[in-house]
Amino acid sequence: MTNSAIVVAGLRVIRGGRDVLRDLSFTVEPGSVTGLLGPSGCGKTTLMRAIVGVQLTHGGSVTVLGEPAGSKPLRNRIGYATQNPAVYADLTITESLRYFASVLGAPRASVAEVIEQVGLTSHADVLVGQLSGGQRGRASLAVALLGSPELLVLDEPTVGLDPVLREHLWDLFHRLAAQGTTLVVSSHVMDEAARCTRLLLMREGVLLADDSPDALRAETGQQDLEQAFLHLVREKEHTS
Amino acid sequence: MSASITLATTRRILNQLRHDPRTVVMLVLVPTLLMVLLRFVFNSAVVFSHVAPALLGVFPFVIMFLIASITTLRERTTGTLERLMTMPLGKFDLLAGYALAFGLVAVVQVLVAAAVSLWWLGLTVQGSVWSLLLITALDALLGMALGLFVSAFATTEFQAIQFMPVFVLPQALLCGLFQPRSEMGWLLNWLSDVMPLSYAVEALQQVTGGAEWTATLTRNLLVVLGCALLALALGAATLRRRTP
């Protein structure tokens, strides 16, 4: 247990007088690709913000790579990409990444490397503001990849991308995981769930399931993961 | 504090400006054009010399206030600030980076406006031109620091722009530019005493009116610098790593 990449214990977050996360507990193993799935508004983003340490919490604890979430030693060991691309619109991709690389103390050569990884080399000198929504998202993802972080927290990284690019990014995620990087990837599209090694299914701030895709299929008797999710929702409503 | 992160931030902000040539042209030329306009409104080099020094301090103050509040607000609303807060960047690295970048812009702005005023519009300065530039640079720093601070209280760019009349115009009205501060009623006089711009304008009037460096001048400069640093510290307190 001590070498888990993330340990969340009894995490509680209140926003605007509403319980967004209610007593959440789970662990994430190193080198895994954990999918955080659930309908929009279920608390996925809040949970990811708590993991990277920018969310005010109201109880429980989050330990990341053996340190309390948000603590100083973690600040160049985690890559975080928000749902809305957080890159400077009035800089080129290269300029934007160079800045973040100097803040992280990442080598200058890593800039071209991460641009290549997200498939934007041909746009490296284009202003971010002139890119399409999907390209902007990938530029933001590139920032998260800078400095080869041990943990990547990616909020809906594949939203708005065509199937070819989505495939390309998922290949990248698995390649990184094979090298030992831990990934937490959120999505509200269930067909991405099958690509994860582990799934956290969330609904209204609580975990409905924490298992591998195969185990979920077996438990619910549903081949389709979307059906499996619906099955769990109905079961939960039935018992409560 | 990290010097390399501060300098990287300065370079990043100047790069952002470089991609926006229209803003650069306006930053550099607008104060100068306003000085030219003022000179011909008065139509007299003597009256102009009386008012111009104060305005050389007020213009960079106002412009830097606006620019700083909008850029930091943008940094907050687009999520780049949150991203930076997950990285090994200290709050003062960011603020110092901003101060350096905008300070540099302000110096260029004042250099152009002062050069045109001195050589073409007939402004006469008894004291040294360098002290004039130093004071105006401090004014710009003050405007920037206040802009950074109040941007924390704006949630939209509309609000940020309206903080200008709220925070800046009363200072401009009471700083002694329109009416000597000693001739104001006690309440207004007291208000002008607690407004940093009053000290900046007084310092500018001293430099243009007399050749020697006085103790009051030093005091005025220290007040302006102190207020700028205070506003920067308050601005740093509004940058939070964890938000609700």
Side-chain angles (χ1 to χ4, degrees):
Chain A
M1 278 308 266
T2 46
N3 52 12
S4 294
I6 304 172
V7 181
V8 173
L11 178 65
R12 190 155 175 252
V13 173
I14 304 167
R15 292 180 77 181
R18 211 171 58 84
D19 272 333
V20 182
L21 299 180
R22 316 169 186 197
D23 195 23
L24 222 58
S25 299
F26 64 90
T27 58
V28 170
E29 294 317 305
S32 63
V33 181
T34 302
L36 189 55
L37 288 112
S40 168
C42 72
K44 297 190 294 281
T45 299
T46 307
L47 176 57
M48 294 190 129
R49 282 169 44 87
I51 293 171
V52 297
V54 294
Q55 175 69 49
L56 278 173
T57 59
H58 302 83
S61 69
V62 183
T63 312
V64 177
L65 307 171
E67 308 273 353
S71 61
K72 222 169 181 179
L74 289 176
R75 283 183 199 147
N76 48 14
R77 297 171 69 193
I78 302 179
Y80 171 46
T82 49
Q83 205 170 337
N84 294 321
V87 263
Y88 298 99
D90 43 6
L91 287 181
T92 67
I93 297 180
T94 306
E95 285 168 342
S96 216
L97 282 162
R98 267 197 199 142
Y99 173 57
F100 287 115
S102 14
V103 171
L104 286 165
R108 223 176 146 83
S110 61
V111 169
E113 213 170 279
V114 294
I115 294 177
E116 209 259 305
Q117 281 181 321
V118 299
L120 282 174
T121 307
S122 56
H123 290 72
D125 296 316
V126 177
L127 285 179
V128 171
Q130 287 167 2
L131 297 174
S132 73
Q135 290 169 330
R136 236 182 267 200
R138 278 185 286 151
S140 185
L141 173 63
V143 179
L145 298 174
L146 276 172
S148 315
E150 293 158 64
L151 169 67
L152 274 172
V153 179
L154 308 174
D155 202 353
E156 310 237 356
T158 57
V159 85
L161 293 183
D162 62 73
V164 179
L165 271 172
R166 242 204 289 174
E167 187 70 28
H168 172 85
L169 287 187
W170 276 100
D171 284 346
L172 171 68
F173 298 160
H174 283 288
R175 239 180 8 254
L176 291 169
Q179 291 162 15
T181 310
T182 310
L183 288 98
V184 176
V185 181
S186 78
S187 176
H188 63 266
V189 203
M190 285 296 161
D191 65 351
E192 297 208 303
R195 301 172 187 263
C196 302
T197 52
R198 191 170 196 87
L199 292 176
L200 295 172
L201 295 187
M202 272 181 89
R203 191 163 182 264
E204 290 170 3
V206 290
L207 281 184
L208 286 186
D210 171 7
D211 229 328
S212 70
D214 284 338
L216 268 177
R217 288 193 188 99
E219 188 198 326
T220 57
Q222 303 284 346
Q223 266 317 294
D224 184 49
L225 284 168
E226 183 149 347
Q227 288 305 316
F229 180 71
L230 288 172
H231 181 92
L232 287 169
V233 171
R234 269 183 239 121
E235 204 171 59
K236 179 101 180 166
E237 275 169 0
H238 196 69
T239 51
S240 63
Chain B
M1 285 285 300
S2 148
S4 71
I5 294 182
T6 301
L7 289 177
T9 305
T10 304
R11 194 164 20 168
R12 186 259 294 176
I13 295 162
L14 293 177
N15 263 333
Q16 284 178 291
L17 278 178
R18 196 168 52 81
H19 287 297
D20 186 359
R22 195 178 300 176
T23 296
V24 175
V25 168
M26 288 202 285
L27 276 174
V28 174
L29 291 185
V30 166
T32 308
L33 291 175
L34 290 175
M35 293 306 271
V36 173
L37 183 65
L38 189 74
R39 167 66 183 79
F40 291 105
V41 166
F42 287 129
N43 210 13
S44 138
V46 179
V47 184
F48 176 71
S49 278
H50 186 69
V51 185
L55 282 173
L56 275 180
V58 172
F59 287 151
F61 174 76
V62 173
I63 292 170
M64 287 303 141
F65 179 91
L66 268 181
I67 299 242
S69 54
I70 298 283
T71 29
T72 36
L73 180 69
R74 248 200 238 162
E75 190 113 54
R76 284 174 211 270
T77 51
T78 57
T80 48
L81 181 67
E82 179 175 293
R83 171 161 249 165
L84 288 173
M85 289 288 115
T86 66
M87 293 184 177
L89 163 134
K91 295 168 186 178
F92 278 101
D93 296 334
L94 184 68
L95 290 178
Y98 266 104
L100 266 180
F102 288 138
L104 206 67
V105 173
V107 165
V108 173
Q109 187 179 55
V110 168
L111 272 178
V112 175
V116 169
S117 304
L118 285 166
W119 288 315
W120 186 42
L121 302 177
L123 170 68
T124 46
V125 178
Q126 307 275 316
S128 105
V129 177
W130 293 111
S131 12
L132 182 80
L133 290 177
L134 171 71
I135 302 166
T136 48
L138 278 180
D139 286 347
L141 184 71
L142 177 68
M144 191 214 81
L146 279 176
L148 273 175
F149 173 56
V150 301
S151 82
F153 304 100
T155 48
T156 65
E157 297 194 0
F158 283 137
Q159 291 175 9
I161 288 181
Q162 298 206 71
F163 278 140
M164 205 273 275
V166 174
F167 281 85
V168 172
L169 288 189
Q171 297 207 53
L173 288 177
L174 294 177
C175 71
L177 183 63
F178 296 96
Q179 171 88 344
R181 288 166 55 211
S182 53
E183 290 171 26
M184 294 174 187
W186 66 270
L187 180 62
L188 294 187
N189 194 304
W190 180 81
L191 279 174
S192 85
D193 275 349
V194 294
M195 291 177 170
L197 193 62
S198 308
Y199 297 88
V201 165
E202 196 178 273
L204 283 166
Q205 284 164 346
Q206 280 172 318
V207 167
T208 41
E212 74 275 23
W213 188 283
T214 62
T216 343
L217 189 54
T218 310
R219 184 209 65 181
N220 287 341
L221 288 188
L222 287 178
V223 169
V224 175
L225 182 66
C227 288
L229 293 180
L230 180 69
L232 274 182
L234 290 172
T238 67
L239 299 175
R240 302 237 172 240
R241 286 210 191 257
R242 283 182 187 269
T243 48

